[in-house]
Amino acid sequence: MTDVDPVLRALAHPVRLRMLTLMWPGPMSAAELARELDISHALASRHLRNLDAAGLVELAEERTRRGGRERRYRTVHGSPLSDHRDGTRMLAATLAHTLQERATHRDPDGRGVTVDAELWVTPEAWEAARRRLADTAAELHDAARPPRAPGTIPVSMSLMAFPLRKTPHADTNVEP
């Protein structure tokens, strides 16, 4: 594990991934994150330091609060997840864990989309779909508000879409 890219290592922990999501719409302190995630302040601070060291969050503001200094961090915008092909398995495991956790909180009356697919499509169809998926993710990120903001609902989105390596038999067309 010592050879793993620090960004990838930071992204591979479910709590840190959730922190990045929570801080996307605006800055939060370790105390705010701890309350939202139901973890200790010390643990939230340690995860924030890890994210900061990896360059995934930045200090947004410092303010005096109750006689002490409160540091609020925000997620550095941009999605480094797609850029780490060497860590695909680690990220997939983290996303799977996150999805399992979130699925337990699914609103039974809420509408959603669930898809699992392994398909053969033209490169043009893949690129068009990949762009739409990226645009949809960007649209939701742009619409994100701080946790529990009035008039908002919490939603979950985990997505990992990528081309597969061709198998040795991939170029053979077999008639059914």
Side-chain angles (χ1 to χ4, degrees), residues 5 12 18 22-24 27 31 34 40 47 55 66 68 89 94 101 114-116 121 138 140 146 158 161 166:
D5 177 337
R18 285 192 64 205
L22 290 170
M23 291 183 289
W24 184 269
S40 71
H47 283 305
R66 296 183 191 152
R89 290 186 68 170
T94 302
E101 291 270 319
T114 302
V115 177
D116 178 58
V121 299
L140 282 173
S158 296
K166 291 185 178 182

Side-chain angles (χ1 to χ4, degrees), residues 6-176:
V7 171
L8 183 58
R9 186 181 309 192
L11 292 171
H13 195 288
V15 170
R16 289 192 288 270
L17 204 54
R18 285 192 64 205
M19 289 174 118
L20 290 173
T21 300
L22 290 170
M23 291 183 289
W24 184 269
M28 294 180 76
S29 68
E32 291 167 320
L33 288 163
R35 279 191 301 275
E36 189 64 32
L37 297 168
D38 197 27
I39 60 176
S40 71
H41 185 274
L43 185 57
S45 293
R46 187 168 62 210
H47 283 305
L48 261 177
R49 282 192 302 275
N50 191 296
L51 291 169
D52 188 34
L56 295 170
V57 298
E58 60 191 5
L59 183 63
E61 64 182 320
E62 273 189 77
R63 60 186 185 184
T64 303
R65 187 170 171 93
R66 296 183 191 152
R69 280 192 343 208
E70 178 185 61
R71 292 184 173 154
R72 300 183 83 225
Y73 291 84
R74 70 174 153 245
T75 300
V76 174
H77 288 198
S79 178
L81 292 174
S82 300
D83 300 334
H84 290 278
R85 290 169 191 85
D86 57 332
T88 298
R89 290 186 68 170
M90 190 185 309
L91 289 172
T94 302
L95 290 174
H97 179 272
T98 301
L99 184 57
Q100 276 185 308
E101 291 270 319
R102 287 183 190 154
T104 63
H105 301 288
R106 185 174 183 168
D107 180 348
D109 299 323
R111 296 181 62 197
V113 176
T114 302
V115 177
D116 178 58
E118 184 175 323
L119 311 166
W120 287 77
V121 299
T122 64
E124 297 79 17
W126 161 246
E127 183 55 29
R130 189 198 63 75
R131 272 196 309 270
R132 285 192 308 275
L133 292 170
D135 289 347
T136 298
E139 178 184 336
L140 282 173
H141 274 99
D142 290 347
R145 300 294 172 253
R148 305 178 194 289
T152 63
I153 61 168
V155 298
S156 173
M157 181 174 145
S158 296
L159 174 67
M160 190 175 227
F162 48 85
L164 298 170
R165 282 187 291 220
K166 291 185 178 182
T167 62
H169 300 92
D171 293 328
T172 356
N173 291 328
V174 178
E175 296 289 326

